[in-house]
Amino acid sequence: MKKILAAVFYNVFFVGILSGQVTQHIRGFVYDHASGQPVPYATVVLPGTDPLRGTSTDSTGHFILLGIPVGRYDLKASFTGYEPVLVKDIYLSSSRETVVEVFLKEQTALVPEVVVTPEINKSEPLNRMSVTGGRLLSVEEASRYAGGMDDPARLAASFAGVTGSIGNNGIAVRGNAPKFLLWRLEEVEIPNPNHFADVATFGGGGLTALSSQVLGNSDFFTGAFPAEYGNALSGVFDMHLRNGNNRQHEHTLQTGLTGIDIASEGPFSRKQAGSYIFNYRYSTLSLLTPLLPEDAGGTAYQDLSFKLVFPTGKTGVFSVWGTGLIDRSGAKAETEPDKWIYKQDMENQDARQFMGAAGMNHKLGLPHGAFLKTTLAATVSGLDMHTERMDEAAQPVPRNVIEHTNRNLVFASAYHRKYSARHTNKTGIRLTGLHYVMRMKNAAPPPQPPALQTVTDESGFSSLLAAYSSSTVRFSDRWQMNLGLNAQLFTLNGRCAIEPRFGLKWKFRPRHALAFAHTLHSRLEMLNYYFVQSETGERINRNLDFTRASHFVFSYDWNIGTDFHLKIEPYVQLLYRVPVIPGSATSFINLKGNEDRFITGKLENKGRGLNCGLDVTFEKYMAQGYYFMLTGSVFDSRYQTAEHVWYNTRYNRNLVFNFLSGKEWMCGKKRQNVFGANGKLSCQGGDRYSPVDEEASALQQDAVYDEQNPFSKQLSPAWLGHFTLSYKINRHRKSHEFAVKVLNVTGYREYYGHRYNFKTGRVEEEREAIVIPDISYKIEF
């Protein structure tokens, strides 16, 4: 009690001393790493402050540090019987309180505190059942790093083992297709949350509907993920909406070339501990039209995200959350035949898309350090796209029709218990009802008449049932083992998958650790492929199995002092039961975008794949006003057809290197303003493509590829550069920020495929340099 009173007196005293400075508060909670229960009376300090600033948590694990000058700080938390933790790089702005959650690991044996090295949690994932393959995705970094554009998904492209692009947000992990990635929000699988999703690239889009204004720190896994993650093959993006400030109201307004962004958060009332937060964005991209692809006319998007939190006494904490987006895009055909150069010039297209997810969470504390978390959620996604192509008389003729709506109802519940300092378990179920309405038609290929033929015409209901159990066993403070099992059942055809997960971590020195994990994973394909109709109307792919993968991951982790970090991860991934079309080179490993929706052949789970490589990350955390991160990956990605022939996959770029760096300068008379400069340079292997069959292309007047040698050609390496300049003015209870952000300052011309030139009679590469600048102003108050 004396320590708490002294800390309060000390903070209040310094508020008066520093009244001439721009200050703000740092507050948060300290929790037990395994059980999630609060740790009362833990010590919390800001190392490096002179004199040392600190306090203690109260009986609920809450702490607050009052009147801290704006800037960046490290925070250390400690308590007897627990390993101390050092939280790096906390940014404190004048316009809003900074809320920090700290998780302490209980020691398996009592060790004198003087010999315990603080655990650095800068990149450690939030999911405490992971030993390798995961990384924390910091929202503050997403808003600061060049190339992020306030989009956390684009930040993932800076991580080792991940390749991305400018015009598309598809996340290709370790040579896998973006469609194999699992998107989760609030512990529920959601549809692809990108604007203009699954059109140019399955699993990709323009930018996510979840901005850094509302998204909390999240996890990103590149392999060997824990047992609670089902229906995932390549990686997991496990996102969380943060709770709004329950002490004071805070608002944000941002406007720029890409649109407007409005956010607000605060308490419902001063008498309750509940809170709200919401974010709304709108853009037409009209100011950027000259810099966008030629067929991007009429593009507009908007999205909304929110979370409401209702703590109660004995009945736990309830929260209601949601996110959604609406998109509109299209293109107009040239009506004069003399202006037809490519087939895009002959096409009318109108596309409307929507995505939504909403749910209610309930977290109930139980005896013996346990809690039960239950979620009921609904998701929806839809695409309505109609394409027409001009005939020789310049009259529009229907080319294809896509009308998809998927509505899912999800019930998930998990029991989490810390049995001892050595053993923690999480066991749960996830029941997903799948309601679908889909109609797809496509014109017959030349030389047949261009009449629309039905590919899929189906509506109905099915379900995906899953259960899992995952345990962490700590033999000592140096040895940790994770054991888990995930099981899935697809009721449409009775296919099931049972997936054991194993991980082992050895902390052989205070800042050095080795880990190994072997896990099995599986994922359903897009539902339309299960309902492809033959000429007689038979559903020829109804019994399609899960696509499956076996992951082997090793890792070496070294925290070099308190500011540097090195991680090395070699891996091998074996994919099997991959859908292929016998007698062809078609494999679902290589599916890309819209045109692949119309695959009508009979599929068999006889394909295989092999991804192997090495990922390296070396980074310096933000300290002394600057940071950098260097990531590198070398890999090989191949697939096997039903005839046992191996080829390169579409996503086999072989290498990717990223270098990010940034510097901040404290400016102003009282050094309360911040000028920041950030840059990113990436080099990744060129896109893969199949040789063009010139003779067949001339006959069909369209790009036709030689499928006897799929993806045997590769473009030159791609060099991508991005930069961000920002200036933040901190004033009492508000801040102003001016920023200039540019994607693709190097002007790299991205590859979109090949297209036939009607004027020259030849096939050309379709490439375009998309340079996206954004000049913005943001006020927070």
Side-chain angles (χ1 to χ4, degrees), residues 734-755:
K734 65 181 177 183
S735 66
H736 308 266
E737 183 177 81
F738 302 88
V740 178
K741 303 177 182 180
V742 181
L743 289 181
N744 195 21
V745 68
T746 49
Y748 176 72
R749 298 173 63 241
E750 288 203 313
Y751 170 76
Y752 295 96
H754 286 75
R755 56 185 179 179

PDB file of all heavy atoms in Angstrom, residues 734-755:
ATOM      1  N   LYS A 734      -4.770  17.351 -28.121  1.00  0.00           N
ATOM      2  CA  LYS A 734      -5.027  17.197 -29.541  1.00  0.00           C
ATOM      3  C   LYS A 734      -3.709  17.183 -30.295  1.00  0.00           C
ATOM      4  O   LYS A 734      -2.668  17.615 -29.784  1.00  0.00           O
ATOM      5  CB  LYS A 734      -5.937  18.309 -30.073  1.00  0.00           C
ATOM      6  CG  LYS A 734      -5.333  19.696 -30.023  1.00  0.00           C
ATOM      7  CD  LYS A 734      -6.337  20.727 -30.541  1.00  0.00           C
ATOM      8  CE  LYS A 734      -5.773  22.145 -30.425  1.00  0.00           C
ATOM      9  NZ  LYS A 734      -6.753  23.160 -30.867  1.00  0.00           N
ATOM     10  N   SER A 735      -3.757  16.661 -31.533  1.00  0.00           N
ATOM     11  CA  SER A 735      -2.572  16.633 -32.379  1.00  0.00           C
ATOM     12  C   SER A 735      -2.987  16.800 -33.838  1.00  0.00           C
ATOM     13  O   SER A 735      -4.111  16.449 -34.232  1.00  0.00           O
ATOM     14  CB  SER A 735      -1.804  15.321 -32.202  1.00  0.00           C
ATOM     15  OG  SER A 735      -2.561  14.218 -32.678  1.00  0.00           O
ATOM     16  N   HIS A 736      -2.072  17.359 -34.623  1.00  0.00           N
ATOM     17  CA  HIS A 736      -2.264  17.518 -36.056  1.00  0.00           C
ATOM     18  C   HIS A 736      -1.132  16.776 -36.765  1.00  0.00           C
ATOM     19  O   HIS A 736       0.031  16.886 -36.361  1.00  0.00           O
ATOM     20  CB  HIS A 736      -2.226  18.993 -36.467  1.00  0.00           C
ATOM     21  CG  HIS A 736      -3.148  19.878 -35.671  1.00  0.00           C
ATOM     22  ND1 HIS A 736      -4.419  20.182 -36.103  1.00  0.00           N
ATOM     23  CD2 HIS A 736      -2.988  20.494 -34.471  1.00  0.00           C
ATOM     24  CE1 HIS A 736      -5.005  20.970 -35.206  1.00  0.00           C
ATOM     25  NE2 HIS A 736      -4.147  21.172 -34.204  1.00  0.00           N
ATOM     26  N   GLU A 737      -1.463  16.046 -37.813  1.00  0.00           N
ATOM     27  CA  GLU A 737      -0.418  15.334 -38.556  1.00  0.00           C
ATOM     28  C   GLU A 737      -0.587  15.578 -40.053  1.00  0.00           C
ATOM     29  O   GLU A 737      -1.679  15.392 -40.607  1.00  0.00           O
ATOM     30  CB  GLU A 737      -0.467  13.834 -38.273  1.00  0.00           C
ATOM     31  CG  GLU A 737       0.653  13.062 -38.976  1.00  0.00           C
ATOM     32  CD  GLU A 737       0.645  11.582 -38.647  1.00  0.00           C
ATOM     33  OE1 GLU A 737      -0.158  10.843 -39.257  1.00  0.00           O
ATOM     34  OE2 GLU A 737       1.429  11.174 -37.780  1.00  0.00           O
ATOM     35  N   PHE A 738       0.499  15.978 -40.688  1.00  0.00           N
ATOM     36  CA  PHE A 738       0.557  16.134 -42.131  1.00  0.00           C
ATOM     37  C   PHE A 738       1.475  15.043 -42.671  1.00  0.00           C
ATOM     38  O   PHE A 738       2.566  14.835 -42.134  1.00  0.00           O
ATOM     39  CB  PHE A 738       1.093  17.518 -42.512  1.00  0.00           C
ATOM     40  CG  PHE A 738       0.281  18.651 -41.958  1.00  0.00           C
ATOM     41  CD1 PHE A 738       0.537  19.168 -40.692  1.00  0.00           C
ATOM     42  CD2 PHE A 738      -0.758  19.203 -42.702  1.00  0.00           C
ATOM     43  CE1 PHE A 738      -0.214  20.205 -40.177  1.00  0.00           C
ATOM     44  CE2 PHE A 738      -1.514  20.247 -42.199  1.00  0.00           C
ATOM     45  CZ  PHE A 738      -1.245  20.755 -40.929  1.00  0.00           C
ATOM     46  N   ALA A 739       1.039  14.349 -43.717  1.00  0.00           N
ATOM     47  CA  ALA A 739       1.823  13.218 -44.201  1.00  0.00           C
ATOM     48  C   ALA A 739       1.803  13.150 -45.719  1.00  0.00           C
ATOM     49  O   ALA A 739       0.813  13.522 -46.369  1.00  0.00           O
ATOM     50  CB  ALA A 739       1.290  11.911 -43.619  1.00  0.00           C
ATOM     51  N   VAL A 740       2.900  12.671 -46.265  1.00  0.00           N
ATOM     52  CA  VAL A 740       3.023  12.347 -47.685  1.00  0.00           C
ATOM     53  C   VAL A 740       3.476  10.898 -47.771  1.00  0.00           C
ATOM     54  O   VAL A 740       4.529  10.535 -47.243  1.00  0.00           O
ATOM     55  CB  VAL A 740       4.027  13.264 -48.402  1.00  0.00           C
ATOM     56  CG1 VAL A 740       4.166  12.849 -49.864  1.00  0.00           C
ATOM     57  CG2 VAL A 740       3.605  14.717 -48.297  1.00  0.00           C
ATOM     58  N   LYS A 741       2.668  10.070 -48.424  1.00  0.00           N
ATOM     59  CA  LYS A 741       2.987   8.651 -48.566  1.00  0.00           C
ATOM     60  C   LYS A 741       2.924   8.283 -50.049  1.00  0.00           C
ATOM     61  O   LYS A 741       1.975   8.648 -50.732  1.00  0.00           O
ATOM     62  CB  LYS A 741       1.991   7.794 -47.772  1.00  0.00           C
ATOM     63  CG  LYS A 741       1.938   8.135 -46.294  1.00  0.00           C
ATOM     64  CD  LYS A 741       0.893   7.321 -45.563  1.00  0.00           C
ATOM     65  CE  LYS A 741       0.830   7.716 -44.089  1.00  0.00           C
ATOM     66  NZ  LYS A 741      -0.182   6.933 -43.345  1.00  0.00           N
ATOM     67  N   VAL A 742       3.944   7.575 -50.502  1.00  0.00           N
ATOM     68  CA  VAL A 742       3.998   7.183 -51.911  1.00  0.00           C
ATOM     69  C   VAL A 742       4.313   5.700 -52.006  1.00  0.00           C
ATOM     70  O   VAL A 742       5.312   5.224 -51.450  1.00  0.00           O
ATOM     71  CB  VAL A 742       5.054   7.984 -52.690  1.00  0.00           C
ATOM     72  CG1 VAL A 742       5.065   7.557 -54.158  1.00  0.00           C
ATOM     73  CG2 VAL A 742       4.787   9.482 -52.590  1.00  0.00           C
ATOM     74  N   LEU A 743       3.450   4.964 -52.710  1.00  0.00           N
ATOM     75  CA  LEU A 743       3.711   3.574 -53.046  1.00  0.00           C
ATOM     76  C   LEU A 743       4.337   3.493 -54.429  1.00  0.00           C
ATOM     77  O   LEU A 743       3.905   4.183 -55.357  1.00  0.00           O
ATOM     78  CB  LEU A 743       2.412   2.756 -53.039  1.00  0.00           C
ATOM     79  CG  LEU A 743       1.746   2.460 -51.690  1.00  0.00           C
ATOM     80  CD1 LEU A 743       0.491   1.632 -51.921  1.00  0.00           C
ATOM     81  CD2 LEU A 743       2.679   1.743 -50.760  1.00  0.00           C
ATOM     82  N   ASN A 744       5.352   2.656 -54.558  1.00  0.00           N
ATOM     83  CA  ASN A 744       6.014   2.395 -55.839  1.00  0.00           C
ATOM     84  C   ASN A 744       6.690   3.636 -56.406  1.00  0.00           C
ATOM     85  O   ASN A 744       6.498   4.006 -57.564  1.00  0.00           O
ATOM     86  CB  ASN A 744       5.031   1.823 -56.863  1.00  0.00           C
ATOM     87  CG  ASN A 744       5.735   1.201 -58.054  1.00  0.00           C
ATOM     88  OD1 ASN A 744       6.907   0.836 -57.978  1.00  0.00           O
ATOM     89  ND2 ASN A 744       5.021   1.109 -59.161  1.00  0.00           N
ATOM     90  N   VAL A 745       7.511   4.279 -55.573  1.00  0.00           N
ATOM     91  CA  VAL A 745       8.256   5.444 -56.043  1.00  0.00           C
ATOM     92  C   VAL A 745       9.265   5.042 -57.116  1.00  0.00           C
ATOM     93  O   VAL A 745       9.700   5.882 -57.913  1.00  0.00           O
ATOM     94  CB  VAL A 745       8.963   6.129 -54.848  1.00  0.00           C
ATOM     95  CG1 VAL A 745      10.075   5.265 -54.287  1.00  0.00           C
ATOM     96  CG2 VAL A 745       9.497   7.498 -55.228  1.00  0.00           C
ATOM     97  N   THR A 746       9.634   3.758 -57.178  1.00  0.00           N
ATOM     98  CA  THR A 746      10.556   3.278 -58.213  1.00  0.00           C
ATOM     99  C   THR A 746       9.874   3.093 -59.555  1.00  0.00           C
ATOM    100  O   THR A 746      10.550   2.849 -60.564  1.00  0.00           O
ATOM    101  CB  THR A 746      11.180   1.945 -57.773  1.00  0.00           C
ATOM    102  OG1 THR A 746      10.140   1.063 -57.335  1.00  0.00           O
ATOM    103  CG2 THR A 746      12.168   2.151 -56.642  1.00  0.00           C
ATOM    104  N   GLY A 747       8.547   3.182 -59.607  1.00  0.00           N
ATOM    105  CA  GLY A 747       7.833   3.084 -60.873  1.00  0.00           C
ATOM    106  C   GLY A 747       7.865   1.707 -61.502  1.00  0.00           C
ATOM    107  O   GLY A 747       7.789   1.580 -62.736  1.00  0.00           O
ATOM    108  N   TYR A 748       7.937   0.657 -60.675  1.00  0.00           N
ATOM    109  CA  TYR A 748       7.978  -0.700 -61.232  1.00  0.00           C
ATOM    110  C   TYR A 748       6.668  -1.002 -61.966  1.00  0.00           C
ATOM    111  O   TYR A 748       5.580  -0.725 -61.478  1.00  0.00           O
ATOM    112  CB  TYR A 748       8.196  -1.730 -60.123  1.00  0.00           C
ATOM    113  CG  TYR A 748       8.145  -3.154 -60.627  1.00  0.00           C
ATOM    114  CD1 TYR A 748       9.178  -3.673 -61.394  1.00  0.00           C
ATOM    115  CD2 TYR A 748       7.046  -3.970 -60.348  1.00  0.00           C
ATOM    116  CE1 TYR A 748       9.125  -4.976 -61.871  1.00  0.00           C
ATOM    117  CE2 TYR A 748       6.986  -5.268 -60.821  1.00  0.00           C
ATOM    118  CZ  TYR A 748       8.028  -5.766 -61.586  1.00  0.00           C
ATOM    119  OH  TYR A 748       7.968  -7.048 -62.058  1.00  0.00           O
ATOM    120  N   ARG A 749       6.797  -1.608 -63.152  1.00  0.00           N
ATOM    121  CA  ARG A 749       5.634  -1.956 -63.979  1.00  0.00           C
ATOM    122  C   ARG A 749       5.196  -3.374 -63.625  1.00  0.00           C
ATOM    123  O   ARG A 749       5.857  -4.343 -63.995  1.00  0.00           O
ATOM    124  CB  ARG A 749       5.983  -1.824 -65.455  1.00  0.00           C
ATOM    125  CG  ARG A 749       6.360  -0.405 -65.851  1.00  0.00           C
ATOM    126  CD  ARG A 749       6.879  -0.316 -67.298  1.00  0.00           C
ATOM    127  NE  ARG A 749       5.855  -0.708 -68.256  1.00  0.00           N
ATOM    128  CZ  ARG A 749       5.972  -1.737 -69.100  1.00  0.00           C
ATOM    129  NH1 ARG A 749       7.066  -2.491 -69.075  1.00  0.00           N
ATOM    130  NH2 ARG A 749       5.017  -2.022 -69.957  1.00  0.00           N
ATOM    131  N   GLU A 750       4.070  -3.468 -62.929  1.00  0.00           N
ATOM    132  CA  GLU A 750       3.586  -4.771 -62.494  1.00  0.00           C
ATOM    133  C   GLU A 750       3.042  -5.572 -63.666  1.00  0.00           C
ATOM    134  O   GLU A 750       2.489  -5.024 -64.632  1.00  0.00           O
ATOM    135  CB  GLU A 750       2.499  -4.607 -61.431  1.00  0.00           C
ATOM    136  CG  GLU A 750       3.038  -4.151 -60.093  1.00  0.00           C
ATOM    137  CD  GLU A 750       2.105  -4.523 -58.969  1.00  0.00           C
ATOM    138  OE1 GLU A 750       0.897  -4.278 -59.104  1.00  0.00           O
ATOM    139  OE2 GLU A 750       2.590  -5.062 -57.963  1.00  0.00           O
ATOM    140  N   TYR A 751       3.176  -6.884 -63.524  1.00  0.00           N
ATOM    141  CA  TYR A 751       2.751  -7.819 -64.572  1.00  0.00           C
ATOM    142  C   TYR A 751       1.342  -8.327 -64.272  1.00  0.00           C
ATOM    143  O   TYR A 751       1.054  -8.800 -63.177  1.00  0.00           O
ATOM    144  CB  TYR A 751       3.734  -8.989 -64.634  1.00  0.00           C
ATOM    145  CG  TYR A 751       3.306 -10.144 -65.498  1.00  0.00           C
ATOM    146  CD1 TYR A 751       3.371 -10.070 -66.886  1.00  0.00           C
ATOM    147  CD2 TYR A 751       2.842 -11.332 -64.919  1.00  0.00           C
ATOM    148  CE1 TYR A 751       2.992 -11.141 -67.680  1.00  0.00           C
ATOM    149  CE2 TYR A 751       2.464 -12.407 -65.698  1.00  0.00           C
ATOM    150  CZ  TYR A 751       2.538 -12.309 -67.081  1.00  0.00           C
ATOM    151  OH  TYR A 751       2.157 -13.368 -67.865  1.00  0.00           O
ATOM    152  N   TYR A 752       0.442  -8.236 -65.276  1.00  0.00           N
ATOM    153  CA  TYR A 752      -0.939  -8.700 -65.116  1.00  0.00           C
ATOM    154  C   TYR A 752      -1.271  -9.862 -66.042  1.00  0.00           C
ATOM    155  O   TYR A 752      -2.406 -10.325 -66.056  1.00  0.00           O
ATOM    156  CB  TYR A 752      -1.910  -7.551 -65.386  1.00  0.00           C
ATOM    157  CG  TYR A 752      -1.795  -6.437 -64.375  1.00  0.00           C
ATOM    158  CD1 TYR A 752      -1.012  -5.317 -64.639  1.00  0.00           C
ATOM    159  CD2 TYR A 752      -2.439  -6.507 -63.152  1.00  0.00           C
ATOM    160  CE1 TYR A 752      -0.889  -4.291 -63.711  1.00  0.00           C
ATOM    161  CE2 TYR A 752      -2.318  -5.490 -62.217  1.00  0.00           C
ATOM    162  CZ  TYR A 752      -1.538  -4.394 -62.505  1.00  0.00           C
ATOM    163  OH  TYR A 752      -1.410  -3.383 -61.574  1.00  0.00           O
ATOM    164  N   GLY A 753      -0.310 -10.312 -66.825  1.00  0.00           N
ATOM    165  CA  GLY A 753      -0.556 -11.385 -67.776  1.00  0.00           C
ATOM    166  C   GLY A 753      -0.175 -10.951 -69.183  1.00  0.00           C
ATOM    167  O   GLY A 753       0.621 -10.032 -69.385  1.00  0.00           O
ATOM    168  N   HIS A 754      -0.756 -11.624 -70.179  1.00  0.00           N
ATOM    169  CA  HIS A 754      -0.530 -11.281 -71.581  1.00  0.00           C
ATOM    170  C   HIS A 754      -1.875 -10.946 -72.227  1.00  0.00           C
ATOM    171  O   HIS A 754      -2.929 -11.396 -71.780  1.00  0.00           O
ATOM    172  CB  HIS A 754       0.116 -12.434 -72.332  1.00  0.00           C
ATOM    173  CG  HIS A 754       1.564 -12.629 -72.007  1.00  0.00           C
ATOM    174  ND1 HIS A 754       1.990 -13.201 -70.818  1.00  0.00           N
ATOM    175  CD2 HIS A 754       2.696 -12.329 -72.717  1.00  0.00           C
ATOM    176  CE1 HIS A 754       3.314 -13.256 -70.804  1.00  0.00           C
ATOM    177  NE2 HIS A 754       3.763 -12.732 -71.934  1.00  0.00           N
ATOM    178  N   ARG A 755      -1.833 -10.162 -73.285  1.00  0.00           N
ATOM    179  CA  ARG A 755      -3.051  -9.831 -74.015  1.00  0.00           C
ATOM    180  C   ARG A 755      -2.744  -9.693 -75.501  1.00  0.00           C
ATOM    181  O   ARG A 755      -1.623  -9.357 -75.902  1.00  0.00           O
ATOM    182  CB  ARG A 755      -3.678  -8.553 -73.469  1.00  0.00           C
ATOM    183  CG  ARG A 755      -2.769  -7.342 -73.450  1.00  0.00           C
ATOM    184  CD  ARG A 755      -3.456  -6.176 -72.772  1.00  0.00           C
ATOM    185  NE  ARG A 755      -2.584  -5.000 -72.713  1.00  0.00           N
ATOM    186  CZ  ARG A 755      -2.948  -3.844 -72.184  1.00  0.00           C
ATOM    187  NH1 ARG A 755      -4.174  -3.695 -71.684  1.00  0.00           N
ATOM    188  NH2 ARG A 755      -2.118  -2.815 -72.153  1.00  0.00           N
TER     189      ARG A 755
END
